[in-house]
Amino acid sequence: MAAAFKTVEPLEYYRRFLKENCRPDGRELGEFRTTTVNIGSITTADGSALVKLGNTTVICGVKAELAAPAVDSANKGYIVPNVELPPLCAERFRSGPPGEEAQAASQFIADVIENSQMIVKEDLCIANGKLAWVLYCDIICLDYDGNLLDASVFALLAALKNVQLPLVTINEETGLSEVNLKQKNPLIIRKHPVATSFAVFDDVRNTLLEEYRTQQNSSIPKSNCRSLGCQSTGIPFSLYYRGPEYFIKVSLLVMLPVKQSTLLQLEVHVR
């Protein structure tokens, strides 16, 4: 009966839980999902991590390669993120080229990397104008149950912290690169970004501390989805917003987990 009611009247279904200040899974409105992380899940990758936020499961693998720096960025390396949403994670996704949501997620991850400066690209340069590291960061969703961006940023950070790069030098006589696999060093992670997604349901009084998968399907409009990116210090650096113009002035009270599990309250104005 409950499943049928949820399908026929999804909005009223959630309103009834909101009136009781709880969620359909029994959690309170401000209660986080159970979070688990497994480091080094992919042995063939240079760094990897599997993250679960509730039922949402994301795995990230990082592969490092050597390449020549770009002409206009001779002292910088590269970071190439990619988010995949295969059919196995949710029935609404199809095989083939990446869809709109996967492309938007990949761009969000690229913006997080660039805006947070979690890794400074100059740190990836081995020899100015000659050689630099390229980090291919593949993020694959295995089970999509909401909060994809939060899980993706978490998995990316954990995987990058797991990376160990061999020492690479340039032979001055031959001009060729020499790789010392016996001496490896971790990446320099300068910032620890955190993404927190929210759903505005009906009005700002019903601001939920996450977004459900059903709120991203056709049953409930996507107009309520926002994702905030913050550094570990609690300083916001990006806001990802999906919604129509009638949400042009909405104030969200953001509760962001930072160091030592403290909660930082930020007021975000969507304009």
Side-chain angles (χ1 to χ4, degrees):
M1 181 66 71
F5 181 66
K6 179 180 178 180
T7 302
V8 177
E9 295 288 345
L11 296 176
E12 186 60 31
Y13 174 82
Y14 284 106
R15 287 192 185 106
R16 293 189 178 185
F17 284 99
L18 288 172
K19 289 179 181 179
E20 301 298 326
N21 292 319
C22 68
R23 300 173 182 269
D25 59 7
R27 288 179 296 137
E28 296 181 359
L29 294 182
E31 185 177 349
F32 287 93
R33 299 184 184 196
T34 301
T35 304
T36 59
V37 57
N38 185 7
I39 305 297
S41 310
I42 308 174
T43 58
T44 54
D46 294 297
S48 62
L50 185 144
V51 168
K52 291 193 67 175
L53 292 181
N55 292 326
T56 296
T57 307
V58 171
I59 190 167
C60 177
V62 179
K63 199 67 177 178
E65 295 183 2
L66 296 172
V71 177
D72 57 347
S73 304
N75 64 335
K76 296 182 180 180
Y78 309 86
I79 306 176
V80 185
N82 181 59
V83 178
E84 295 184 23
L85 301 175
L88 66 87
C89 74
E91 59 184 12
R92 63 193 177 93
F93 298 116
R94 296 291 181 265
S95 300
E100 180 181 350
E101 189 168 350
Q103 294 181 48
S106 296
Q107 185 59 53
F108 175 80
I109 296 298
D111 291 342
V112 167
I113 295 172
E114 183 68 26
N115 296 334
S116 70
Q117 291 293 290
M118 59 189 299
I119 293 181
V120 178
K121 293 180 180 179
E122 285 84 350
D123 293 338
L124 299 177
C125 182
I126 298 171
N128 199 325
K130 296 181 179 180
L131 197 63
W133 285 108
V134 183
L135 301 181
Y136 293 99
C137 306
D138 292 310
I139 302 171
I140 303 174
C141 182
L142 304 179
D143 191 343
Y144 193 143
D145 194 35
N147 288 67
L148 170 69
L149 301 180
D150 304 354
S152 297
V153 172
F154 192 171
L156 173 69
L157 178 60
L160 289 173
K161 290 178 71 70
N162 181 238
V163 171
Q164 295 280 331
L165 296 180
L167 178 65
V168 179
T169 57
I170 301 293
N171 190 307
E172 296 182 358
E173 295 182 358
T174 63
L176 301 176
S177 60
E178 297 179 351
V179 181
N180 185 355
L181 297 176
K182 295 183 179 181
Q183 185 175 348
K184 294 186 176 183
N185 299 301
L187 287 173
I188 301 175
I189 308 296
R190 298 183 180 273
K191 300 290 175 59
H192 295 72
V194 177
T196 304
S197 297
F198 295 83
V200 177
F201 189 83
D202 282 346
D203 55 40
V204 295
R205 290 174 296 176
N206 291 329
T207 301
L208 303 181
L209 192 60
E210 63 184 49
E211 49 179 331
Y212 283 106
R213 177 181 60 186
T214 51
Q215 291 174 318
Q216 299 167 328
N217 291 338
S218 57
S219 59
I220 296 180
K222 294 182 180 179
S223 60
N224 55 3
C225 298
R226 293 149 178 81
S227 294
L228 174 72
C230 284
Q231 300 172 3
S232 57
T233 56
I235 301 174
F237 57 80
S238 84
L239 176 65
Y240 175 70
Y241 168 63
R242 288 179 288 165
E245 293 182 357
Y246 59 77
F247 274 100
I248 199 163
K249 294 188 73 175
V250 178
S251 294
L252 302 180
L253 183 63
V254 179
M255 299 182 67
L256 179 72
V258 293
K259 288 183 178 179
Q260 298 178 350
S261 299
T262 56
L263 292 177
L264 177 69
Q265 293 185 341
L266 302 173
E267 189 176 4
V268 180
H269 299 276
V270 181
R271 299 186 185 275

